[in-house]
Every structure is written in structure tokens, then in C-alpha cells.
Amino acid sequence: MSLMSLTALELGRRIKNGEVTAVDAAGEALAQIREKEDSIHSFVTVREEDEILADAARVQKQIEEGTVSGPLAGVPAALKDNLCTEGILTTCSSRMLADFKPAYTAEAVKNLQQAGVVVMGKTNMDEFAMGSTTETSAFGVTRNPHNTEHVPGGSSGGSCAAVAAGECSFALGSDTGGSIRQPSSYCGVTGMKPTYGTVSRYGLIAYGSSMDQIGPIGRDVADCAAILEAVSSYDKKDSTSLRREDTDFTAALTEDVKGMRIGIPKDYFGQGLDSEVADSVLAAAGELERAGAVLEEFDLSLVEYAIPAYYVIACAEASSNLSRFDGVKYGYRTEDYEGLHHMYKKTRSEGFGTEVKRRIMLGSFVLSSGYYDAYYLKALRTKALIKKAFDRAFDTYDVILSPAAPSTAPKLGESLGDPIRMYLGDIYTISANLAGLPGITVPCGTDHAGLPIGLQLMGDCFKEKNIIRAAYTYEQRRGWSR
């Protein structure tokens, strides 16, 4: 059995028990990358082989000495290319940052390194995390390992594809409107977005600061719980970081949902949802009901306003966050220009791709004088109403169950020419970001073409353990992770 077919925790146990070494694991991951990258293109940057093997040897020595003993020690992992890593290219899959090597490392990545994880490289993504298919990258598209004519989803499509293709044991992604959960659904892996503020955003290149959150992508629920446990920490460098005491997420890995109240929003099962997706998700709900959970349909309300509210807020924040890329401080600068204003204009015109420009322009428009109240403030009020709707729902239910995406992975090119269709791909995931809620996606079946279908479970703020327990129970009963 290939080491890359094991879950991260299984591989970590084998390394800890001396059955294999961290160097063996890194070598197998490199072999998988060499074999599959030409067809999948999960990575933007793969570190030099000698650097990776040297890191693995150092970690192996620490494991043998007992100075590193965590469950993920020696396990090879990948990082989405918007997580800063000292001395390693961090491009956000944009021409604007094509040569950028940060002088510091993101806090979440530091936490992984302290846990003994071996970093293989940086994964492809939609440019500056703006997209739902990983087709807006300046460095080429990533393909779905289940069918290379289809997209892997986005914006963390490279991370999800790398895990699905066995090029690493797990990966980190970022989730602003479903960017971990939706591609996890498309690629048949498990992805989780924690409560906003649980994982430090220090070193994460911002898209929508009030909604961005780093999270794990693994082969199963247990992997995601262990990874989240490793990266969660209070960080004074991040003003939105939370000081939490209940981050022992692996304690929730119990096959027990007896009496758990699960709400199924009627609004999520209407027009636009593929019938095969609906059938698989409802079959998964039935499995949880047979395990002892109490299921009930309810009206969540305000779902139709989630996408417009999200894109107004996210684009407004993006236009502000991306103003720093002006050709002066760092990053790309145009070669020929006349004067400062022309340099700004030409640098940003050449450095940003079409989708990023579209969102910057939309964000600048809704923040402009005369439109701020009509659009941006109205979107913020809508966001508050959506949060209240979820608060009411969680007064009754422990977990909310829904599809992760309205369909399975579309073919390459189908969504890119129709931005509205691409935006609608996030319809079931966006609300969790607007309300700051945790959510997890687990595989629950395949369609007629063999493409994966994902089940989404959302919980109340700080209630990750509820969704981990429900997801783990379903996974154990059906065995999709195998």
C-alpha cells in the first residue's frame, strides 16, 4: 500500500511506531507529484527535493529523540499559495506577486512546522482567492483528479486536488465564501472551515478580511480534526484572533449522534439543485437519522440575499486590501511608464487578471460616494439579519445539514465565461462566512459520471465538535473515506 493512500493520522502513527520514516513519506509524496503534476497541476511551487528531504530527515531525528511527538509529525503537507512562507514563493497565483518571497511565515504554518509537518510546496488557487473553479490563476488551471476535463472547484482547488491525487497527506486552504468546502465536495475530500477567529489570519494574504479563515483539507474527518487542533491558537498579531480553551477537536471523534437535533433548510433544496446531489445528501441525512439523530425541515429564510450581500462586502474589502499592490512597495511593476499615476494604472492593469479587476471595480463602486449607503451599508445590515436567522435556527438545532454545492464539478471553461454561474456555485456555503460559523464538507456519494458529491454540516459559533461528531458518525457508518 502506498504511504500516500493512508490518512495523515495513519501515516503519522506508522512514522511514530518506526514502521516507516518521515523521509520515506516525503519521498513517496515527491514521486506522486512527479507522476501526476503534468495532468493535475495542483502546485504553483514545489520545493527543491533536497530541501524537502533535509526537512524530513530533521523531523525524523526529532521524532526519534522525542522532541516532536504530535500525531502529524513527519507527515507531508501542502499549503495554499496565499499563506506566507519565509523564503518560499508566495504568489496568490497572480502575476502581481510572481516573484514574491515573504520575510516571515504565517502563524498557522508555524504551528504546523512546530508539530513536525513537512511542507512540500504551495498549491494553485484562483487569483487572490477570487473564483470558484481555480481557473483564474495566472499560472494555468488545476484539473479535477477524478476527471481531468472538470474543474476541482475553488479557490482552494489546488489544495483539494493535491490531497485527492495523493500528492500530499493533507493541505491547508482558506475559506472566504466556501473556498475550502466547495472544492472539497468537487474533489471527494473532507474540508473544514472553523469559527471565524479560531485560526490566526496573520500571514494570510487578505481577500475579504471579515470572512477569511484558514482551515484543513484531509482525507477524512479525523484528519481535519487533528489538523485544526494543530493550527488553532490565539495570536496577538491578529486583532480578530480568539482566545479559546476548547480546541481539543479530536475529542469529538465519537460515533454517537443519538438525540442530536439536525435541521434541514427547505430553502437549500429548491430550484437549481441537481437531483443526484439532492438524493445523495438526503440519503446521508437518513443515515444520520438511523444512527439516532432527530431530523426536521425548517425555513432558514434570507438565503436569496446571501450571495448579493456576500459579493458586495467581499468586493468592497478586496478593493481596499488589494490597493497595496501598486508597484511601489513590492510585487510586479510595469517596465515602461510616464509618471507615478501612469505607473500605478499600468502596473495594476498588467498585474491583475480579469476576475480580480472585476471585483476591485465592483468594490470601489459600492464604496464610492453616493453608493456607500445604497449598497455597502445595506449589505452589512443583511449580513446581520442572516446571522440572526442562524442564531434562531441554532436555538432549536445542533447542526444544519445541506448540500455543499448545487451540482458536481462542472467542465473546464463552463463557469469562467459566465461569472454569475460561478458565483452561484457558492450559494450553500457563503452564509457560514457571513455569520462566522464553522462548517465541514464530507463525501456522500457520486453522480452518474463518477464525480464526487459533498454533504455540508454547519454548526453554531464555537460548536465545531457538534459538526465533527455528526460528520464522523456518518463517515464511519458509510465508509466514504475509504
Side-chain angles (χ1 to χ4, degrees), residues 248-266:
D248 56 335
F249 300 113
T250 51
L253 296 170
T254 58
E255 192 177 340
D256 179 17
V257 292
K258 288 178 181 174
M260 178 179 279
R261 298 163 302 168
I262 298 179
I264 302 176
K266 294 177 185 177

Side-chain angles (χ1 to χ4, degrees), residues 61-245:
K61 185 179 178 184
Q62 292 173 330
I63 292 168
E64 291 167 358
E65 293 171 346
T67 54
V68 173
S69 59
L72 300 172
V75 175
L79 308 172
K80 188 174 180 179
D81 205 24
N82 58 353
L83 290 163
C84 287
T85 42
E86 184 179 356
I88 304 174
L89 277 174
T90 303
T91 71
C92 274
S93 292
S94 175
R95 187 182 181 191
M96 187 64 81
L97 291 176
D99 300 317
F100 177 57
K101 289 186 178 180
Y104 66 100
T105 297
E107 189 70 15
V109 178
K110 276 187 177 180
N111 290 342
L112 279 188
Q113 291 171 336
Q114 288 167 7
V117 170
V118 178
V119 174
M120 303 301 296
K122 311 298 283 295
T123 56
N124 199 21
M125 55 184 282
D126 284 298
E127 185 182 7
F128 283 102
M130 298 182 192
S132 303
T133 60
T134 313
E135 292 177 286
T136 69
S137 167
F139 306 118
V141 303
T142 295
R143 296 173 181 270
N144 193 315
H146 293 272
N147 186 328
T148 54
E149 294 182 1
H150 291 254
V151 303
S155 62
S156 303
S159 288
C160 293
V163 174
E167 296 176 309
C168 59
S169 295
F170 73 88
L172 288 187
S174 67
D175 193 309
T176 309
S179 295
I180 288 173
R181 290 159 290 145
Q182 181 250 40
S184 292
S185 173
Y186 285 176
C187 289
V189 295
T190 301
M192 186 173 180
K193 171 208 171 293
T195 301
Y196 182 76
T198 298
V199 180
S200 170
R201 292 188 300 110
Y202 177 77
L204 172 66
I205 297 174
Y207 164 25
S209 304
S210 71
M211 292 175 286
D212 292 342
Q213 188 61 184
I214 297 166
I217 298 156
R219 288 201 173 84
D220 64 7
V221 177
D223 276 3
C224 283
I227 299 158
L228 184 57
E229 204 167 288
V231 299
S232 298
S233 64
Y234 170 71
D235 183 12
K236 63 182 180 182
K237 299 184 295 297
D238 174 10
S239 62
T240 61
S241 179
L242 297 169
R243 201 183 294 272
R244 293 186 59 174
E245 305 298 331

